Amino acid sequence: MTALVVAALSAREVSRRRTALLLVIALPLWFYLVRRDQTGQSMRMLTLGIGWAVSTLTLFVVNASRGVDPRLRLSGASTAAVIGGRLLAMTAGGVALATGYWILAAIDQHLDRPGTALLMMALTAALAAPLGGLVAALLPRELEGALALLSVCAVQMLADPAGLTAKLMPFWSAREIGTYAIDATGPDYLWRGLAHGAVTWLICAGGTWALFAWRLRLPRYPEP
Amino acid sequence: MSGWDHRFEAELLRLGVQPGRARQLTEETAQQAAESAAEPDGLFGPAHLYARHLVSELNTAALPLSGGEKGQVRLRLTGVGKRYRRRTVFTGVDLEVRSGEVAAIVGANGCGKSTLLRICAGLTRPSTGRIQRTRRVGFVPQDAGTAGWLTADEHFTLFGAAAGMAPRRSRSTGEHLAARLAWRPARRELTQHLSGGTRQKLNLVLGELHAPDLLLLDEPYQGFDQGTYLDFWKQVLTWRDAGRAVVVVTHLLHDLQNVDQVYDLGAVA
């Protein structure tokens, strides 16, 4: 119940920041347009753009609530409800954004496996929310957090996809699932991508929860 | 029992009234309504607000009428100290605050008043000492603590949800508490557009929304005009009379006439 209220109000807060929201929505479009002539490249860049946009938005939402969250804990909310609610809102928003861009891509490109393309984009959005949360937990200041996310996305974009560095990046799953969806390869790419995505989600969501559980912990003072 | 009775009893339990006593009060209230041949809703108003009012009245009745012995201890600090690396902020703080009592923490800038209040709340760890505190505590910080892109009503919903209250009940309780501070929140006005004083009123309401036994206020009157400042102290005295324990950080010496005890942190820092 508390998590749902936190999620609904977080979504409402973001929806009121219209300029920021428009820029976040438009960000993946620029990634898509620069490689629009190549289906595989445009889809991968679009997906990375969604990941970057959603993770950065989550970073700012989580950081903006630093003054409120300790008071919510004092009022009786659990850390899981407070942080989980915010991640839930950002995940839902990210999946909606991914679905919107998938419709655009499905109309504008020839996709052999459109359902898997949607999976790739939605999974990336679902990974991006806890990634933004984890960076917010590790780097409480917004500038430092935004620069860290920029670095992650730049490395993800530039690293050799077959090398170890790319595999250690959070959105490597998108490349694997994308290869299956667009280049019509065997299902081993899909399963590898899903497994990488699941492990990444667990690390990011678990890490975010653990760090905030520590940061928002309240001592149990005995009753007088 | 009617729906009103159920809601009334549930709110009494939520406010910490023992189950047997809550049932007895519910039955007595239902009997009063029956004797008046009226619906409880029409006679007493919303169940959750009447429960709050009744608990407040009962707490007042349980306290001595003037001075002398106070109620239960709500906060006890024994030898509390805070150190940041090699810098000692304060040490050896002993303080006891009882229900029906207002304590002021005073001291020069930088002597650790806000830190001490955060320690009382549990938001900052003490370096030394022992703290005993009642479970239900409301904390009003000096600044921040609100979300600029939410309205006052949405804050009531958010903080009410944290305390396990349903959204409608949170909103009506918040509006009721705001009215006591001579403030009627506008439905669509974002917190970032509120004046500093009105934002502090919101802060105060959020601190009190879940009916805490102990209120910790960190210079909550920043930005208040003269009338609101007087309303604020009237409200503090109402809390005291209702059996709440209140700790207020202040640097205004003329505030001290309103309090029961003064702790000068500058003297021990």
Side-chain angles (χ1 to χ4, degrees), chain A residues 1-2 5-6 9 12-13 16-17 67-68 70-72 74-77 217-219 221-224, chain B residues 73 119 121-122 125 131-133 135 139 141 145-147 149-150 154 158-159 161-163 190 203 207:
Chain A
M1 160 70 184
T2 307
V5 172
V6 172
L9 292 175
R12 205 174 295 177
E13 269 187 279
R16 285 178 181 147
R17 304 186 66 167
V68 175
R71 296 188 74 189
L72 292 178
L74 269 180
S75 297
R217 72 197 187 284
L218 294 174
Y221 292 143
E223 294 262 353
Chain B
V73 175
I119 288 173
R125 303 260 156 174
I131 295 158
Q132 292 166 284
R133 193 200 71 191
R135 198 169 54 82
F139 176 64
T146 54
W149 292 89
L150 294 180
E154 287 162 351
L158 181 63
F159 279 72
L190 298 179
N203 252 334

Side-chain angles (χ1 to χ4, degrees), chain B residues 248-269:
Chain B
V248 57
V249 164
T250 183
H251 63 269
L252 300 178
L253 293 178
H254 57 268
D255 285 347
L256 304 182
Q257 64 190 1
N258 295 313
V259 307
D260 299 297
Q261 59 166 314
V262 178
Y263 191 88
D264 186 357
L265 194 60
V268 296

Side-chain angles (χ1 to χ4, degrees), chain A residues 26-40:
Chain A
L27 194 145
L29 184 65
W30 316 133
F31 280 66
Y32 176 73
L33 289 178
V34 291
R35 291 294 177 94
R36 183 169 166 259
D37 53 327
Q38 298 173 40
T39 301

Side-chain angles (χ1 to χ4, degrees), chain A residues 34-119:
Chain A
V34 291
R35 291 294 177 94
R36 183 169 166 259
D37 53 327
Q38 298 173 40
T39 301
Q41 283 299 312
S42 64
M43 290 302 290
R44 287 189 188 100
M45 293 303 282
L46 172 63
T47 306
L48 194 56
I50 290 169
W52 192 9
V54 175
S55 55
T56 307
L57 187 64
T58 308
L59 169 80
F60 278 79
V61 165
V62 172
N63 273 337
S65 61
R66 274 177 189 276
V68 175
D69 289 351
R71 296 188 74 189
L72 292 178
R73 288 279 290 120
L74 269 180
S75 297
S78 67
T79 305
V82 172
I83 298 303
R86 298 200 195 285
L87 293 189
L88 181 66
M90 294 304 106
T91 302
V95 170
L97 181 70
T99 307
Y101 274 113
W102 173 75
I103 292 169
L104 170 75
I107 294 168
D108 195 44
Q109 303 281 344
H110 174 72
L111 302 174
D112 285 334
R113 289 169 170 158
T116 318
L118 174 62
L119 174 68

Side-chain angles (χ1 to χ4, degrees), chain A residues 92-152:
Chain A
V95 170
L97 181 70
T99 307
Y101 274 113
W102 173 75
I103 292 169
L104 170 75
I107 294 168
D108 195 44
Q109 303 281 344
H110 174 72
L111 302 174
D112 285 334
R113 289 169 170 158
T116 318
L118 174 62
L119 174 68
M120 167 183 72
M121 294 160 75
L123 177 67
T124 301
L127 291 174
L131 174 68
L134 182 62
V135 172
L138 289 168
L139 298 167
R141 291 189 178 88
E142 285 166 351
L143 177 61
E144 285 86 334
L147 289 172
L149 280 176
L150 179 62
S151 305
V152 167

